[in-house]
Amino acid sequence: MARSSLYQQVASELRRAIYSGEFGPGDQIPTETELMDGHQVSRNTVRLALGELENEGLILRMRRRGTFVRERRPLLMRPQDELLSRDDSRPRFDAFVSAVTAEGRQADQNIEVQIVQPPAEIATRLALEEDRALAVVRRRLRFVDGQPYNTNDSYYPLKLVSDSEIVRPGDIKRGANRVLEELGHPQVRLVDDISARMPTPEESARLHLEPGTPVVVYVRVGYDEEDVPVRVAVSVLPADKHLIRYELERH
């Protein structure tokens, strides 16, 4: 049997054991020597198999401690909920905070606000016609139970929000979407683009990502009643910590 088939077979059996729950989150899996003896394969074959599972984000290899199944408790995100009608007498909280607290977990976030000349892709999505048109960006590093979970950068045309809370640092308890409504620009249409890639070194450092962890890049553009784009939100979501769920109904 070819060497590649051997390591893939070892990886497949370990993968099955993880997904079946035989090895649960935080459990230590057999040592390299135990895997060599159990499968009658070489050390190099075992290391290739473990490398494949590490690249898939299933295991974490810790020097001098062993190899462990990674903790996987994804945050459920429901993007369609942003357009749900709400009772205006109720306070509106940040969608991220609402999603986290709904699961009985603790949410926190660091917020930085800047006035910038946005990247070309953002400027195009915001339909900023002037070459040097400015935008306000609210950059957020978000935490769940004290651990960094994702980043969210929300861009708004400066001329639209210049005199509002959106340009001020700090959290907006009722949410920036509510502020846009008060400014006469409720978002009535949303367009989402979702893609996946490996993280940049900066993203890996900010989000404390383990090697081999891919990220999902989730870009949402919000349009007002005149079909003018008023917000572009770019979220970088570690793939092992998030589950995005859309529910569609036929009418």
Side-chain angles (χ1 to χ4, degrees):
M1 184 179 294
R3 179 179 296 178
S4 61
S5 297
L6 281 174
Y7 90 76
Q8 288 172 352
Q9 180 180 342
V10 175
S12 178
E13 292 188 17
L14 286 172
R15 189 183 296 111
R16 177 201 56 77
I18 292 171
Y19 281 127
S20 69
E22 182 179 340
F23 295 131
D27 285 351
Q28 184 172 6
I29 68 172
T31 65
E32 289 185 1
T33 300
E34 291 169 338
L35 290 171
M36 289 166 56
D37 294 341
H39 294 274
Q40 294 297 297
V41 295
S42 69
R43 185 176 300 275
N44 187 56
T45 296
V46 167
R47 288 181 174 175
L48 287 172
L50 295 177
E52 182 166 294
L53 296 180
E54 186 176 31
N55 287 337
E56 293 175 13
L58 292 177
I59 62 172
L60 176 62
R61 290 194 278 184
M62 305 179 68
R63 192 172 182 180
R64 295 192 179 91
R65 291 188 56 192
T67 302
F68 299 83
V69 179
R70 290 185 63 173
E71 296 280 352
R72 299 172 64 88
R73 189 183 176 189
L75 176 66
L76 177 62
M77 301 179 64
R78 296 170 50 88
Q80 65 271 23
D81 287 355
E82 189 168 330
L83 286 183
L84 288 179
S85 297
R86 298 175 185 263
D87 180 352
D88 284 342
S89 65
R90 293 169 49 202
R92 298 188 183 187
F93 297 99
D94 180 279
F96 167 76
V97 175
S98 297
V100 174
T101 54
E103 295 186 5
R105 306 168 76 179
Q106 183 176 359
D108 198 4
Q109 53 189 345
N110 294 336
I111 303 175
E112 297 179 0
V113 180
Q114 297 175 311
I115 296 176
V116 299
Q117 185 174 342
E121 179 187 0
I122 301 298
T124 298
R125 291 180 184 270
L126 282 176
L128 299 180
E129 298 177 356
E130 302 174 15
D131 290 341
R132 295 189 177 277
L134 299 178
V136 175
V137 57
R138 296 179 62 85
R139 303 187 191 277
R140 289 179 281 192
L141 174 60
R142 292 162 156 175
F143 298 82
V144 176
D145 296 333
Q147 299 297 317
Y149 244 63
N150 63 54
T151 63
N152 174 274
D153 296 344
S154 295
Y155 294 84
Y156 308 85
L158 176 61
K159 63 182 181 181
L160 199 70
V161 301
S162 59
D163 294 325
S164 74
E165 292 172 75
I166 289 175
V167 301
R168 302 169 198 159
D171 194 13
I172 302 174
K173 295 299 183 183
R174 66 190 187 285
N177 287 349
R178 183 63 177 270
V179 175
L180 282 176
E181 291 181 21
E182 295 167 358
L183 293 171
H185 298 279
Q187 295 169 88
V188 298
R189 184 168 74 93
L190 304 173
V191 176
D192 292 349
D193 288 337
I194 299 175
S195 59
R197 59 171 171 77
M198 297 306 294
T200 65
E202 180 185 5
E203 290 165 347
S204 293
R206 289 190 75 197
L207 292 167
H208 299 178
L209 300 181
E210 300 295 342
T213 304
V215 294
V216 174
V217 181
Y218 171 28
V219 181
R220 165 162 285 184
V221 184
Y223 295 83
D224 67 10
E225 293 170 319
E226 302 298 323
D227 210 34
V228 174
V230 296
R231 176 183 64 126
V232 174
V234 182
S235 297
V236 176
L237 315 173
D240 62 332
K241 292 182 177 178
H242 296 82
L243 172 63
I244 300 175
R245 176 176 296 166
Y246 284 90
E247 295 183 15
L248 307 176
E249 292 186 20
R250 183 176 180 179
H251 295 285

